[in-house]
Amino acid sequence: LVAPLGPPDAEALVRRYLGAFGPAGAVDVQTWSGLGGMQAVLGGMADDDVLHNLGNRQLAIAKRACNAI
């Protein structure tokens, strides 16, 4: 038997999403993942792996992607 999946690691999910599809807003991540509360997750990651307020929208982007620009 395969063990049941545990609860999702929301920050890891957001990092992977931003790496593939960023920059993105919380609504974008929520729509894609089907999980709520992404604004709080992004807010908690502000000093870690994402930046906010790109242009006139509150967006997030993986810092490694910023280095490539």
Side-chain angles (χ1 to χ4, degrees), residues 1-6:
L1 290 179
V2 176
L5 295 174

Side-chain angles (χ1 to χ4, degrees), residues 5-67:
L5 295 174
D9 179 354
E11 287 188 11
L13 181 76
V14 169
R15 282 190 190 93
R16 291 188 68 134
Y17 180 84
L18 292 175
F21 303 111
V27 172
D28 301 320
V29 180
Q30 281 184 189
T31 300
W32 174 81
S33 68
L35 299 174
M38 290 296 121
Q39 186 66 41
V41 174
L42 286 171
M45 297 171 61
D47 293 332
D48 188 24
D49 201 29
V50 296
L51 303 172
H52 291 276
N53 299 320
L54 300 176
N56 60 356
R57 286 184 62 202
Q58 186 172 6
L59 298 177
I61 186 168
K63 284 186 180 179
R64 70 172 193 270
C66 291
N67 294 333

